Amino acid sequence: MGNLFSAVPSASSPARAEADVREQDADVTADAVDVREQTTMAPLLVAQMDPDVLAFLQEDTFCQASPEQLTELDYRRNVDYPQLPEHVYFEGCFHGLKQSKPTESMHPRLGYDVAKAASTRRVRAFLAAVRQCNRGWLMSLASRLPKSKEGLLVRRLIKEGKVFGDVAIQMHAGDPVRPGDLAWHMDAANSILHLALSLRGSRTLHAKPGMGRADTDHEFPQEPGSVYLSTPFTFMHSVEYHCSKEDYDDRIVAVQCRFLCKFADIATLHSSGDFCNAIMKIVHDHLRHNTTLTLPNLDQVKEALKSLPK
């Protein structure tokens, strides 16, 4: 099936891209069915970077690096597709806060807290500008969350600027990952708000409502400059990678941005039944009806860059 949502440029500022979300009926009652059991797609907002912002990020070191250079930059080679021995997948895990010093948070693959180094200045400046451009609806969402232990935790993370603060930079090359090779999964709880950036190459996000029991497979093509915001903690998804082992220039570079959390925070969210029955329904409702995803222009990114500590 085609995309559920489509991006349109902002009418008020051509330098910004905003998401146009088709409204669906929202249910935010705590006693309704778990959002992971839903049979309709979770909200997914899409937008497109300005070309000069995309070029600014593409000039960054990791976007230009060879596999050997990625290893030197503390990227780790992962094997998610053992049936594709010539598929090359490198991932670097960093933080996306303004600070240049490392910070403790959970490693997405190791499952325990590590001292995460800062991502590059360009990535951190872009994310700081994204948080600033979207501060209004983020603060509004925080104010709607219940005063439960879980609600107060998410509210604190938003107000501390930890949203989009966990950064996984991924590079795929070699054998393509086709529909028959898809690795379906659901993300951890720090993907309750998940921003995904496509910087190089072509990939396709595949998504199924909830736990994926329905046969419906929604496809969201991702080209350079594509951005989406969603809640992949609440639905099954996988990614098709259209790379080529004949041409390294076809490699795919994507950046996954989640809440920056410690293991204890994620354990708190995973241990609560109310989390999916209440908080996530508020998040879904807010994304459908009260959110416009706004991307910064290059001037805003460069202004954020100036504010980063040396």
Side-chain angles (χ1 to χ4, degrees), residues 4 10 47 50 117 180 278 286 293 295:
L4 293 182
S10 168
D50 286 353
H286 205 80
L293 174 60
L295 300 183

Side-chain angles (χ1 to χ4, degrees), residues 170-240:
Q170 303 168 339
M171 190 279 285
H172 291 262
D175 277 339
V177 176
R178 298 186 172 94
D181 303 309
L182 297 179
W184 291 93
H185 64 284
M186 299 174 84
D187 284 6
N190 60 335
S191 282
I192 54 179
L193 284 177
H194 182 120
L195 188 74
L197 319 174
S198 288
L199 301 183
R200 286 189 64 126
S202 175
R203 62 197 184 103
T204 300
L205 172 69
H206 292 255
K208 295 183 178 182
M211 299 293 286
R213 295 188 176 93
D215 292 332
T216 306
D217 178 0
H218 301 285
E219 297 182 12
F220 302 88
Q222 304 292 301
E223 301 297 332
S226 295
V227 177
Y228 71 80
L229 172 67
S230 193
T231 61
F233 166 67
T234 65
F235 61 89
M236 292 292 289
H237 59 283
S238 58
V239 182
E240 185 179 352

Side-chain angles (χ1 to χ4, degrees), residues 108-126:
R109 286 190 168 264
L110 303 179
Y112 52 78
D113 292 340
V114 299
K116 275 190 193 145
S119 186
T120 66
R121 288 176 59 82
R122 292 190 181 209
V123 169
R124 286 185 287 131
F126 175 80

